[in-house]
Amino acid sequence: MRNKWIVYLLALAVFLIGTIEYIISGILPIVAEDLGITTSTAGSLVTSFALSAAIGAPVVIAATIRVDRKKMLLIMLGIFILSSCLVYISDSLEMMLMTRMIQGLSGGTATVIAMAVATRMVEEQNRGRAIGTILMGLSSSLVLGVPIGTLLSETMGWRILFIIAGLLTVIPLLAVFAKVPSITEQKAITLGMQLSILKDKKMVLAVTITLFYIGGYSSLFTFISPYLQQSTDLTATALSGILLIAGICSFAGSKVGGGIADAKGSRFTIYAGLSIQAGTLLLLTLFNGSIYAVIPLIMIWMAATWATSPAQQLYLVTLVPQSPDIALSVNTSFIQFGFALGSGIGGLVISCSSIGNLGWSGFVMVLVALLLAGRLFAYDKTLNMQ
């Protein structure tokens, strides 16, 4: 693959962006204590990043579609670096929320542009591999970035982690500046084009499924650290170890889910993934407080959630075969909406009841996704019979 090392450096940038987004989940109690706010309120730092990426990134992409992609990527990475360093002086909730919104907008936009640039830097037959490499950087942030950040936060301080991630982003920024040529989009994908596919009832149902199952995932994962520590006082090392294993399970689930989707079909895999998610979340509510039961259930739940993702994206591509990029772009926005919805509902659950009830909120949302999947596939079957 031509320019392979540039693609890897772009994946590094996406890895660091993903780490900055997800790392809050691993250090939420520390952040809440430092800012003098409740854990539920600290969850809004996840919501603000996700909403900014979901709403802002597509708008920026559409508004600047004729601007040189290299120039836009340099600007977005530059803003992301500055906003990550800004965390160090963000000593109030309001300032942290503003910083997270800037991170979400710049990071979300940079991720989309990085994938577009990667496809231009390699041969046509290797474009799929290039996109896969970029997305692997994003998934790796969950596997490695969150647990490593959780481990280092106790010794280095959580604010320093953001500065380190920001400074490391300078490496791919310099690579883009030195080696990536000017790139102008040949075919503009406007915001109107992205929204137009939502006129299809099946597409609306499909992305709504994404919204709810990711929401169910986010409602618990956003508060995973305090959730695991509610009955046992885990050290930072133990907690980071659990998060690392959970991340590996999510990575493995994604791989297995893709294989099952190819072998058994996307519908089967979506049904199975959502059913296991709902089942494990229900069991978590029953075994709440028993760390030895909770940990294996968390691992199964993580694997099932991420096994659903490739099947869901495969199904979306079959719905819009003529414009798969647009379908995946819209789905990516709904993934971020799901993170925002879940973290918001999770915060409400904690403030109104207790952290032990997060399993219930996640279960209800995933159950809604499962019911919607049944409705979608029944509707799909009816159309095929006509």
Side-chain angles (χ1 to χ4, degrees):
M1 183 168 65
R2 180 165 51 89
N3 294 317
K4 182 165 59 176
W5 71 275
I6 296 179
V7 175
Y8 287 150
L9 286 175
L10 290 173
L12 172 62
V14 173
F15 166 79
L16 294 167
I17 291 169
T19 298
I20 289 295
E21 177 174 9
Y22 301 133
I23 198 174
I24 289 288
S25 300
I27 58 175
L28 206 61
I30 301 173
V31 175
E33 182 180 358
D34 190 20
L35 293 176
I37 57 178
T38 64
T39 302
S40 59
T41 302
S44 62
L45 298 176
V46 177
T47 307
S48 58
F49 187 109
L51 278 178
S52 185
I55 299 172
V59 173
V60 172
I61 292 292
T64 63
I65 198 66
R66 295 297 185 187
V67 180
D68 180 8
R69 297 293 88 185
K70 173 182 178 177
K71 181 180 180 180
M72 282 302 302
L73 185 54
L74 287 172
I75 292 172
M76 290 299 113
L77 289 177
I79 294 173
F80 179 77
I81 291 168
L82 292 175
S83 63
S84 297
C85 294
L86 188 61
V87 170
Y88 193 77
I89 59 172
S90 298
D91 55 0
S92 66
L93 174 62
E94 293 76 16
M95 193 168 182
M96 269 298 296
L97 285 172
M98 182 60 67
T99 301
R100 291 290 287 174
M101 290 173 66
I102 297 171
Q103 289 175 336
L105 178 63
S106 58
T109 305
T111 297
V112 176
I113 296 177
M115 284 191 281
V117 169
T119 61
R120 304 301 194 279
M121 298 296 293
V122 300
E123 302 86 351
E124 186 173 350
Q125 65 270 23
N126 288 322
R127 288 181 176 177
R129 288 176 58 193
I131 293 174
T133 301
I134 300 297
L135 292 177
M136 190 172 293
L138 189 60
S139 61
S140 296
S141 65
L142 185 64
V143 178
L144 298 174
V146 175
I148 290 175
T150 303
L151 178 62
L152 295 178
S153 63
E154 198 168 81
T155 56
M156 303 179 64
W158 68 274
R159 295 178 188 274
I160 297 297
L161 298 176
F162 285 83
I163 293 178
I164 291 174
L167 293 178
L168 286 175
T169 309
V170 173
I171 298 173
L173 182 144
L174 292 176
V176 171
F177 177 78
K179 295 296 182 181
V180 173
S182 295
I183 298 172
T184 302
E185 292 290 350
Q186 298 300 314
K187 180 182 179 181
I189 300 177
T190 65
L191 185 61
M193 291 169 64
Q194 295 180 57
L195 294 175
S196 67
I197 67 171
L198 294 178
K199 295 177 181 178
D200 185 342
K201 181 179 179 180
K202 290 196 295 182
M203 178 60 69
V204 172
L205 283 171
V207 295
T208 305
I209 290 170
T210 295
L211 175 72
F212 278 100
Y213 91 80
I214 292 295
Y217 169 78
S218 177
S219 68
L220 177 55
F221 186 76
T222 298
F223 305 95
I224 191 68
S225 291
Y227 182 83
L228 289 171
Q229 292 178 314
Q230 63 178 316
S231 59
T232 305
D233 187 18
L234 297 170
T235 64
T237 302
L239 182 60
S240 63
I242 293 171
L243 291 175
L244 176 61
I245 297 172
I248 292 172
C249 288
S250 68
F251 190 78
S254 181
K255 288 286 186 182
V256 172
I260 296 176
D262 285 338
K264 296 286 188 177
S266 56
R267 297 181 191 179
F268 173 86
T269 311
I270 292 169
Y271 269 137
L274 292 176
S275 298
I276 296 172
Q277 287 172 63
T280 51
L281 286 167
L282 184 59
L283 288 173
L284 280 171
T285 64
L286 300 177
F287 291 99
N288 182 39
S290 174
I291 193 70
Y292 297 106
V294 166
I295 290 176
L297 286 172
I298 289 289
M299 303 309 165
I300 297 171
W301 167 67
M302 291 281 284
T305 300
W306 289 96
T308 308
S309 182
Q312 177 74 350
Q313 296 193 57
L314 177 61
Y315 181 77
L316 283 163
V317 168
T318 63
L319 289 182
V320 196
Q322 72 278 9
S323 304
D325 292 348
I326 298 179
L328 294 178
S329 174
V330 171
N331 190 56
T332 299
S333 287
F334 272 81
I335 288 174
Q336 294 292 357
F337 279 128
F339 273 110
L341 173 67
S343 58
I345 289 178
L348 285 175
V349 169
I350 294 175
S351 58
C352 295
S353 57
S354 72
I355 199 167
N357 289 325
L358 287 176
W360 282 115
S361 63
F363 168 72
V364 170
M365 280 189 277
V366 175
L367 182 61
V368 171
L370 185 58
L371 294 174
L372 287 172
R375 177 72 184 89
L376 171 60
F377 297 147
Y379 179 68
D380 208 1
K381 186 176 181 181
T382 302
L383 288 179
N384 291 335
M385 292 175 62
Q386 292 177 352

